[in-house]
Amino acid sequence: MKLVITMSRRFGTGASIIAKELSERLDIPVYDKAYIEEQLSDHMYESEAEAIRKLAEKPCIILGRCASDILKDRMNVLNIFVCADKEDRIRRIMEKDSLSYDEAKEKVEKTDEERASYYYEHTGKTWGDVNDYHMIIDTSQLGVENCADILMHYFEKLEYI
């Protein structure tokens, strides 16, 4: 199966680390906001949607950009939402970006708010609604370092890979 994984995530969950590890194990590319916008000159949502549909013609991982909604009708797409406790996310951002607690907290809250607004603006839906995803992964409970293993086991069990 030509598996396409969409990965929506709260800021600071470690989802990009999970995506990178899956990318290496599955030998498929990861596409994120920077990559998609780099490919476009106009930055209009319809252009992003078209780019996402085109990228999803081959196995890949797409981080954010409403890909779970854009590709919702495709049988080969697995939509994952990555979450974590807010305090864990703040600590991760403090360490990653060398920020104070208050700076990291503000960055986490602001980025989550921006993602929720972007998702609602383009889909009319609530970002993070469990009904829009096949799987929710909590990195606070599972550990970022274990999530790729868990997902690989799942893919193998269902013979996606």
Side-chain angles (χ1 to χ4, degrees):
M1 177 180 266
K2 293 182 177 180
L3 182 63
V4 173
I5 301 165
T6 72
M7 198 174 284
S8 300
R9 72 274 187 229
R10 296 212 180 276
F11 185 66
T13 59
S16 58
I17 296 166
I18 298 165
K20 183 178 185 293
E21 189 167 336
L22 286 175
S23 169
E24 290 168 4
R25 289 186 184 192
L26 297 169
D27 194 29
I28 60 175
V30 176
Y31 302 117
D32 62 5
K33 176 183 178 180
Y35 178 86
I36 292 168
E37 286 184 351
E38 188 178 291
Q39 304 304 306
L40 304 171
S41 57
D42 59 6
H43 304 293
M44 298 300 293
Y45 178 73
E46 281 302 312
S47 296
E48 279 194 1
E50 289 167 20
I52 287 167
R53 286 185 197 100
K54 184 76 175 159
L55 292 170
E57 290 176 4
K58 295 181 180 174
C60 65
I61 300 167
I62 303 173
L63 288 173
R65 312 318 297 159
C66 303
S68 59
D69 192 69
I70 292 166
L71 303 173
K72 68 182 176 228
D73 296 325
R74 296 197 183 185
M75 297 300 295
N76 66 321
V77 175
L78 178 69
N79 297 323
I80 299 171
F81 190 84
V82 183
C83 62
D85 294 338
K86 187 173 182 180
E87 289 300 313
D88 289 344
R89 297 186 299 129
I90 291 168
R91 281 192 294 276
R92 189 172 288 114
I93 296 306
M94 284 173 63
E95 186 177 313
K96 179 180 167 280
D97 295 347
S98 300
L99 298 175
S100 70
Y101 179 88
D102 289 338
E103 291 169 327
K105 181 179 183 212
E106 183 179 330
K107 189 171 184 177
V108 164
E109 290 171 350
K110 183 177 184 231
T111 304
D112 280 353
E113 186 179 303
E114 289 169 353
R115 288 179 179 177
S117 294
Y118 180 89
Y119 193 82
Y120 184 78
E121 180 183 332
H122 295 294
T123 69
K125 296 179 181 178
T126 302
W127 177 62
D129 182 336
V130 296
N131 295 307
D132 294 328
Y133 303 95
H134 300 109
M135 184 180 292
I136 311 293
I137 294 179
D138 184 336
T139 58
S140 291
Q141 297 298 315
L142 301 171
V144 173
E145 66 282 355
N146 297 319
C147 290
D149 288 336
I150 291 166
L151 288 167
M152 289 298 292
H153 179 72
Y154 177 77
F155 300 154
E156 289 166 2
K157 186 136 181 102
L158 293 182
E159 299 180 357
Y160 286 158
I161 58 171

